[in-house]
Amino acid sequence: MSSLMAVKVQKRHQDVLFLRAAEPVRRMNRDFQIRFTAILLALLTTAAVVYAGYNLQAERQFQVPDDGVWWFEHQGKLTADRVDAGGPGTRAGIKVGDQLTAIDQHEVNSTAARTHQLYRVGAWSKTTYSLVRQSVPVDVVLIPVPAERSQYNWLRLIGLIYLGIGLYVLLRRWTAPGSTHFYTFCLVSFISYAFHYTGKFNGFDWTIYWGNVAAGLLQAALFLHFVLTFPERHWFVRRHRWAIFAIYVPGLLLLSLHILALAFLKASEVLRWNLDRLEMGCQALFFVAAAGVLLYNYRRASTPILRQQLKWVTRGTILAITPFTLFYVIPYLTGALPTTAMKVSVLSLGILPLTFGYAIFRYRLMDVDLIFKRGMVYTLAAGAIAGAYFAVVAGVAELVHLQVPSSGPIGLVLAIVVTALLFDPVRKWIQERIDQFFYRTGYDYRKTLIEFGRELSSETDLDKMLSAVVDRLSRTLLVDRMAVFLSDGETSQQFVVAKSFGMAQTSGLDLSFLGTPRPEDAVGHLFFDNTHQVPRETVNAQQAIAKLDLNYYIPCRAQKHTIAVLGLGKTVEGDFLTSEDVELLETLAGYLGIAIQNARLYASLQQKVAEYERLKDFNENIVESINVGVLAVDLADRIESWNSQMEVMYALPRRQALTRSLGEVFPAAFVEEFYRVRQNPGIHNLYKFRLGTPTGESRVVNVAIAPLVTKDFSVIGRLIIMDDITERIELEAQLSQADKLSSIGLLAAGVAHEVNTPLAVISSYAQMLSKQLQGDPQKGALLEKITRQTFRASEIVNNLLNFSRTSGTEFTAIDINKIISDTLALLEHQFKVTRIKVQDERSAYLPPINGNAGRLQQVFLNLFLNAKDAMSNGGTLRIATTNGESVSVMVSDTGTGIAQEHIHRIYDPFFTTKTTPREGQPRGTGLGLSVTYGIIQEHAGKIRVESRHGEGTTFYLDFPLTRKAVNA
């Protein structure tokens, strides 16, 4: 409200400066005065409204207890002077003349002490009054009730009327004579009627109390000051300038007396009542004096216009002040307490701002006189219609009663109802004809305005709306040409022709004159009586105005910006538009401006919605396309987003995850880690976290947990990003194993060549000695052991050579099933001896793979032998082959299995669990699986193992398919 007032003041001031040239110093002083006055009034208005609002809130929260008795101090005692009929005092049995000595055994000897005890007890609580009635002590039980304060709401309504009319007049006619003074009077009146102390008398309550007292004394003085200077200064004021100051002296004296009485005299109910009566009498005297001044000015008015102005102002003032003075002030001054009728008479003061507000806004009351006359005639005509209506109904009823007396009351009622129903359409038709007669074209204008407003509010398409505007106005006003000019933007002063009617040329024109500030803006429209003679305009503007040939340009404003201009020519008969036509167009221009702005906003909103949808789809596509799982949770840890990668990785559909809490979806280990890190701000990471899925799988993920924030950095949830690195971990393990085997292979190649030579020498000499000592069994046995260990060492060396030999092997297309069959044939006897059953589940047809049969036979031989060693007491060896994206082989046994702590080391060279072999089992070298791993890598295959200790072991081998060359 403050900013709006300041903007209005500056706009009006700029109009004045544009029309009037003054000296620079005088202009600066005037500008400073206007700004200072605007800021001061804005601050005072804001403070008054805020204080009134808090006062109303405090009044509703605090009930003032009342005992229904008017007590006054007499010889140090409180004596009942009046007892409200039907009040708490009457119900308790208190009588006039009773002396109050105590309340609940608390001594009471003053009005202040009584009020304090009542506030202590509160409303609707039982309390005991100790009285002295004709020297006889009497105790009565009294229940205080909340004090009657309903009249305060009516007074606040009057105050709001004062403030609303004052603001309207001030903002609409800031430069009108007396508008600032009138607003000050309205603001003070608002404070006087809206401020009501509760009786708590804290700091805020004292502010309300003194504000009410000061405003009540100032209100009447301001009003008398106003009528002495409006619409022109009274001759007495012109001769005696001190008279204006003298008006405020009585109020100032009464305010000082009020302050001194409360500060230095003993506060009592009689003192307060006397002060109120004195102030009320002064206020009424000033109001009556003001009415007398207006009446005097009305009778002495020198011009008919001034006399017409003062006639309505004087009558309104007398109508407002007379009920208040006769029915409230005079009885109150004579000692009467406020009654309901007295309180209702205060409402008549609300007529004052209505009368003067209209006088200031129009400053000419000739139109009011016309409206009054038409209104009186219309009222009399409507009354005649109503009288005829009821006369016909009564006549028919009487006729029925006379003709059919046996019908009784029921027939009479039916006759009245039937006649009323039949006559009502006739009454409405006559009423409509009277409306059209008295309002003539204005009647059709109002209908047009209503229909037009409905169309504007229901149409959001700008082009269709402008077409409807042009069509409706051209038919209603019967103009020969018109156009609607739209600005390029809300604040742009460049206009283009959007719609036109009856115009030959609308393009290539300079329309900058529509956005040029000019004095006529204050009038509400721009008028050219001769479009071919506009000397004040520029050359380009003159040409455009002549070609358009439009006489009226009416701006359509919204939020103080001109967003469109209505251009209209003369009527088809060659006449100018009437003043009623122009007023109607100015009214419609306001609706049209808002409608155009709404249509533009709607179009902009549609565009933004489309952009938002595209951006939303684009962002969702990004989230759905990335190869990491993304989910979002709110502050209550409920899942709000779940992308497709999360569905794949966690094996849980989105519809089953959304709106559920994290604890319902994820395992307890993850939820525990989430709650641990979410307590701290920032981004937190969980590396290589093993996450169990609903299907029983275990995935290794890197988790990032970050706060989900808005544009203003408010945290609205958490963003969780899961990167599935399970396959990456496996590849890293394979790469590490390959690097390890490569290093060991290089070492093994060098060691094998160096060891083979001495092994050959030892083996040769041992065999030679064995032949020479054939007759010595003991030494022969020793030499035999040396020979066997030499062969074993040679076998280890050969394995090392095979392990280190990673290239140079010839690869051809081979059948994996045949290699497995050949290997099983080699071990058939050993399987029978060890009671191992072979379960063959190989596919009947497998595509060939590219490999080396001998080396792959070594792979299966190692796997089968390891399975045989693991099943020392017999078991089942299961072999299966399948065909898919690759050729897969599964080798599974039911042996002792591999401990979990050994799983990651089984491919390490020289690592073996056969350090203490069972009977009949060879001692392990630790190179079998290492060599197997190397051969699989040569064939670009993969090998993985699953095993549980005591439950058996399963190896999975995958070989890529052979790619056949395509003949050109």
Side-chain angles (χ1 to χ4, degrees), residues 629-651:
V630 178
L631 67 145
V633 297
D634 58 14
L635 294 178
D637 297 332
R638 289 189 299 269
I639 298 175
E640 298 292 339
S641 177
W642 184 275
N643 73 341
S644 56
Q645 186 61 27
M646 281 298 303
E647 293 183 301
V648 175
M649 180 189 71
Y650 198 64

Side-chain angles (χ1 to χ4, degrees), residues 448 451-452 455 467-477:
T448 300
E451 296 175 2
F452 187 60
E455 290 184 6
S467 299
V469 169
V470 171
D471 179 66
R472 179 61 57 86
L473 290 181
S474 62
R475 287 188 293 106
T476 303
L477 301 178

